[in-house]
């Protein structure tokens, strides 16, 4: 008999004695003393599946260096933080300043929005604060580093004394990893006639409007999204789209990314993978893996789904895994939008895990910078906690969107872009979600069943979901409830006989 209180969840887990004691130590150690308690969880050489990723928009996280905020063009910066299309001042020093806050939450890998030098002009009222309008892949966005610092990776390669290098050093000192967000599909939109002006460490090498060396495709905007040829070759929102058949382009983009890997980047998140042919990605991932054998790579295939043959083929044959949009949509339907089928919608996704060669490598999430935040759909903190507990304990590598732990959301226009990117305001290390992530991140490292195990449904109704994860001799049992108080019939937990205490609820 298992009883679950309203809107609560009770993951239970079993591990041999020493690990159980470590879990108890994490739970019972107050936040002020967690440095010691967490230390043993951070070893450098772990499977990437054991990570807990945190994704942040650099400009909206923390302004650690007010001197760089105006930038080269002060028109792009709004110090009052009222204009959502402009920079608000966040930078890499701000990330460094908050690393202890993140580590103490159990974050082990940090995914930052792209750091490349961007177009320094407004396009339809928007600055490139998201980082997806790159003009030079071999330079860092000067807005993120100290005023006057050299943005060239070439020029600073020997000394390695930039703010970026300090970020890498501080991350690795804490045994945390850096995920670099990259774009290979496109460069920039048309700002003052400069569409697709591209630079190689400050030297102009391509121009969409004078494309003598065929660096770009010139087929206009995607009009029919069902047409695969258009999706791969045409433009998205007027962004100059690279011609991957050009070997000079391929050499440029690969040499640029390798420079970043040489500075200590640990993993790559790749934008818009659906918009380039799989042969390009196979060459790219092969080359990156040769250059850095332990590199972990995951891509964004918008609304990838296990029922979509092409996104499944991509996961199995491209050399990288994907962000799990199918699961994200199901979780939002079940837990934020109150869908009638509830947890059955989620189980439907897990039922198709066999289609992937490695479902435990998929990167799981409940919201991101391109969709409304979970709490803009449903402000109930109890539902957020269930959703977080799910992605922290089900198969896949969880990725937390910045501010989730502080219940950050702005519901203007339904919380859609750009209102899903508010400035971080609170840094409360006692918030319930913060503590929950910390606890379950520890569990992911202690119990391989949680990070790498198979997933077995044990009890399922629209409101209740119980599952077991198993990896060799390790087991975890999770029970989630999105409804009211309920008494369950006997559920097989696969735990050894005896008393067990829930890691989260302590019941
Ligand atoms: Ca700043
Ligand atoms: Ca393309």
């Amino acid at each position: 008999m298992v009883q679950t209180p309203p809107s609560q969840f009770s993951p239970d887990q079993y591990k041999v004695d020493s690990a159980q004691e470590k879990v108890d130590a994490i739970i019972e150690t107050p936040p002020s003393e967690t440095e010691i308690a967490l230390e043993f969880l951070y070893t450098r050489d772990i499977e990437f599946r054991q990570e807990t990723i945190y994704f942040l928009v650099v400009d909206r996280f923390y302004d650690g260096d007010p001197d760089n905020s105006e930038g080269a063009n002060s028109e792009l910066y709004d110090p009052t933080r009222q204009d959502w299309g402009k920079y608000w001042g966040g930078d890499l020093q701000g990330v460094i300043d908050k690393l202890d806050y993140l580590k103490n939450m159990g974050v082990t890998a940090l995914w930052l929005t792209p750091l490349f030098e961007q177009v320094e002009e407004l396009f339809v009222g928007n600055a490139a604060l998201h980082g997806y309008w790159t003009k030079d892949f071999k330079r860092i966005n000067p807005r993120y580093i100290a005023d006057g610092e050299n943005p060239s990776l070439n020029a600073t390669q020997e000394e390695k004394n930039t703010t970026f290098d300090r970020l890498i050093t501080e991350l690795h000192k804490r045994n945390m990893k850096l995920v670099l967000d990259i774009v290979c599909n496109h460069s920039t939109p048309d700002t003052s006639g400069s569409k697709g002006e591209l630079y190689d460490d400050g030297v102009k090498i391509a121009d969409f409007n004078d494309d003598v060396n065929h660096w770009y495709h010139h087929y206009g905007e995607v009009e029919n999204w069902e047409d695969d040829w258009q999706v791969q070759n045409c433009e998205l929102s007027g962004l100059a789209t690279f011609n991957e058949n050009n070997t000079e382009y391929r050499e440029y983009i690969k040499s640029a990314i390798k420079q970043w890997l040489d500075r200590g980047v640990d993993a790559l998140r790749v934008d818009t993978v659906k918009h380039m042919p799989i042969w390009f990605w196979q060459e790219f991932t092969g080359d990156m893996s040769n250059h850095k054998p332990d590199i972990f790579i995951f891509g964004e295939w918008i609304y990838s789904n296990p029922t979509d043959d092409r996104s499944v083929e991509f996961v199995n044959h491209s050399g990288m895994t994907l962000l799990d949009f199918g699961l994200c949509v199901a979780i939002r339907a079940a837990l934020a939008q109150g869908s009638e089928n509830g947890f059955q919608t989620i189980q439907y996704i897990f039922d198709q895990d066999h289609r992937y060669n490695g479902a435990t490598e998929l990167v799981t999430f409940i919201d991101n910078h391109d969709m409304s935040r979970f709490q803009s759909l449903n402000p109930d903190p109890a539902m957020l906690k269930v959703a977080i507990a799910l992605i922290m304990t089900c198969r896949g590598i969880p990725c937390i969107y910045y501010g989730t732990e502080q219940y950050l959301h702005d519901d203007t226009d339904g919380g859609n872009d750009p209102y899903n990117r508010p400035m971080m305001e609170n840094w409360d290390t006692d918030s319930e979600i913060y503590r929950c992530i910390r606890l379950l991140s520890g569990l992911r490292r202690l119990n391989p069943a949680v990070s790498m195990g198979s997933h077995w449904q044990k009890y399922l109704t629209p409101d209740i979901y119980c599952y077991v994860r198993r990896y060799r001799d390790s087991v975890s049992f999770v029970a989630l409830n999105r409804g009211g108080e309920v008494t369950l019939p006997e559920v097989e937990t696969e735990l050894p006989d005896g008393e067990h205490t829930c890691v989260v609820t302590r019941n």
Side-chain angles (χ1 to χ4, degrees), residues 35-304:
E35 204 61 18
I36 302 155
L38 279 174
E39 205 54 50
F40 68 90
L41 296 176
Y42 291 81
T43 57
R44 259 323 249 140
D45 302 319
I46 60 161
E47 261 262 13
F48 206 87
R49 287 181 291 178
Q50 292 176 282
E51 308 286 355
T52 296
I53 308 171
Y54 188 86
F55 169 38
L56 66 87
V57 176
V58 175
D59 178 63
R60 300 296 161 85
F61 193 60
Y62 186 62
D63 184 356
D65 181 359
D67 293 341
N68 64 12
S69 298
E70 274 204 1
N73 180 358
S74 61
E75 190 198 350
L76 305 191
Y77 171 58
D78 178 12
T80 68
R81 298 176 178 171
Q82 302 294 308
D83 187 335
W84 291 75
K86 293 188 176 177
Y87 284 99
W88 289 357
D91 47 39
L92 295 188
Q93 184 58 52
V95 177
I96 293 170
D97 290 348
K98 297 299 181 185
L99 285 183
D100 287 332
Y101 165 87
L102 294 171
K103 180 178 177 178
N104 187 48
M105 184 171 37
V107 171
T108 61
L110 205 50
W111 158 18
L112 308 181
T113 45
L115 303 178
F116 311 108
E117 186 178 23
Q118 301 289 299
V119 165
E120 266 283 303
E121 280 186 83
L122 294 177
F123 178 63
V124 206
N126 291 302
L129 63 99
H130 42 65
Y132 299 104
W133 297 343
T134 301
K135 64 184 273 194
D136 195 332
F137 285 89
K138 296 185 181 178
R139 289 194 168 186
I140 195 161
N141 188 338
R143 291 176 173 276
Y144 296 158
I145 57 182
D147 194 25
E149 193 171 305
N150 195 331
S152 160
L153 292 190
N154 278 328
T156 55
Q157 177 64 28
E158 290 296 315
E159 301 278 334
K160 292 190 174 59
N161 57 357
T162 64
T163 309
F164 177 69
D165 294 305
R166 277 199 292 114
L167 170 65
I168 293 273
T169 303
E170 292 298 321
L171 277 165
H172 290 173
K173 196 191 285 178
R174 292 167 177 80
N175 291 318
M176 298 166 77
K177 291 177 181 165
L178 183 68
V179 182
L180 183 72
D181 195 338
I182 68 168
V183 191
C184 299
N185 180 62
H186 52 259
S187 59
T188 63
D190 192 348
T191 52
S192 320
S194 66
K195 181 171 176 175
E197 280 187 12
L198 185 74
Y199 295 80
D200 183 334
D201 192 22
V203 178
K204 189 169 164 184
I205 46 167
D207 183 342
F208 183 86
N209 292 316
D210 183 21
D211 193 11
V212 287
N213 292 319
H214 310 289
W215 277 57
Y216 293 106
H217 288 311
H218 296 264
Y219 300 114
E221 194 76 10
V222 176
E223 285 173 1
N224 177 5
W225 284 84
E226 303 301 311
D227 181 334
D228 289 345
W229 185 89
Q230 283 195 25
V231 167
Q232 290 191 2
N233 294 284
C234 295
E235 294 177 1
L236 311 170
S237 315
L239 295 163
T241 293
F242 286 120
N243 169 20
E244 57 277 352
N245 301 308
N246 183 332
T247 52
E248 283 179 33
Y249 154 71
R250 299 211 301 277
E251 279 311 306
Y252 166 77
I253 197 75
K254 289 191 296 183
S255 63
I257 303 308
K258 286 179 197 170
Q259 283 195 331
W260 292 82
L261 296 183
D262 291 342
R263 296 303 264 271
V265 164
D266 301 284
L268 299 173
R269 177 270 184 190
V270 191
D271 195 57
T272 44
V273 295
K274 174 183 185 174
H275 298 281
M276 297 183 84
I278 196 165
W279 65 257
F280 169 83
W281 295 118
Q282 288 165 337
E283 178 186 289
F284 181 84
T285 57
D287 204 18
M288 295 304 128
S289 301
N290 277 336
H291 194 72
K292 186 154 189 158
D294 59 348
I295 188 85
F296 183 84
I297 311 177
F298 60 100
E300 174 221 35
W301 178 296
I302 283 281
Y303 295 107
S304 62

Side-chain angles (χ1 to χ4, degrees), residues 45-53 108-109 177 294 296 321 357-364 391-392 394-399 440-441 443-454 469-471:
D45 302 319
I46 60 161
E47 261 262 13
F48 206 87
R49 287 181 291 178
Q50 292 176 282
E51 308 286 355
T52 296
I53 308 171
T108 61
K177 291 177 181 165
D294 59 348
F296 183 84
T321 188
N357 291 347
T360 55
E361 289 192 342
L362 294 165
V363 176
T364 59
I391 62 167
M392 294 295 293
C394 76
R395 101 290 185 268
I397 307 162
C399 178
L440 294 176
S441 168
L443 188 62
R444 293 183 59 75
R445 294 210 163 192
L446 286 172
N447 185 343
V450 180
S451 50
M452 300 185 285
S454 51
R469 308 286 313 287
R470 178 179 280 284
Y471 184 86

Side-chain angles (χ1 to χ4, degrees), residues 235-456:
E235 294 177 1
L236 311 170
S237 315
L239 295 163
T241 293
F242 286 120
N243 169 20
E244 57 277 352
N245 301 308
N246 183 332
T247 52
E248 283 179 33
Y249 154 71
R250 299 211 301 277
E251 279 311 306
Y252 166 77
I253 197 75
K254 289 191 296 183
S255 63
I257 303 308
K258 286 179 197 170
Q259 283 195 331
W260 292 82
L261 296 183
D262 291 342
R263 296 303 264 271
V265 164
D266 301 284
L268 299 173
R269 177 270 184 190
V270 191
D271 195 57
T272 44
V273 295
K274 174 183 185 174
H275 298 281
M276 297 183 84
I278 196 165
W279 65 257
F280 169 83
W281 295 118
Q282 288 165 337
E283 178 186 289
F284 181 84
T285 57
D287 204 18
M288 295 304 128
S289 301
N290 277 336
H291 194 72
K292 186 154 189 158
D294 59 348
I295 188 85
F296 183 84
I297 311 177
F298 60 100
E300 174 221 35
W301 178 296
I302 283 281
Y303 295 107
S304 62
N305 191 290
T307 61
D308 170 13
D309 290 344
R310 289 190 52 238
S311 59
V312 171
E313 182 202 12
F314 190 90
V315 172
N316 292 340
H317 299 292
S318 66
M320 72 174 92
T321 188
L322 285 178
L323 285 152
D324 193 348
F325 277 90
L327 181 63
C328 170
V329 168
I331 292 173
R332 288 160 71 91
L335 298 176
Q337 296 162 308
S339 81
E340 197 180 321
N341 294 329
F343 283 116
Q344 289 162 343
T345 312
I346 293 168
Q347 180 60 41
Y348 176 74
I349 298 291
F350 292 142
D351 282 343
Q352 296 166 84
D353 277 354
H354 64 88
R355 300 201 67 201
Y356 297 114
N357 291 347
T360 55
E361 289 192 342
L362 294 165
V363 176
T364 59
F365 61 105
I366 61 170
D367 50 17
N368 68 20
H369 56 327
D370 288 328
M371 62 179 75
S372 56
R373 283 172 178 268
F374 184 94
Q375 284 202 291
S376 288
L377 299 178
N378 183 344
D380 181 358
M383 282 299 108
L384 178 65
K385 191 173 172 188
V386 175
I388 291 293
L390 176 67
I391 62 167
M392 294 295 293
T393 58
C394 76
R395 101 290 185 268
I397 307 162
C399 178
I400 310 292
Y401 188 38
Y402 80 99
T404 300
E405 73 280 12
Q406 302 295 344
Y407 307 99
L408 179 69
H409 60 108
D410 183 306
D411 302 335
T412 311
D413 187 26
N416 282 305
D417 181 4
Y419 303 103
N420 52 3
R421 304 166 185 177
M423 199 77 194
M424 258 313 256
E425 289 165 357
N426 301 315
W427 307 94
D428 177 8
T429 56
D430 267 332
S431 94
E432 197 174 356
I433 297 289
Y434 182 100
R435 292 178 64 83
C436 178
I437 292 169
R438 174 171 166 267
L439 190 61
L440 294 176
S441 168
L443 188 62
R444 293 183 59 75
R445 294 210 163 192
L446 286 172
N447 185 343
V450 180
S451 50
M452 300 185 285
S454 51
H455 182 109
W456 303 95

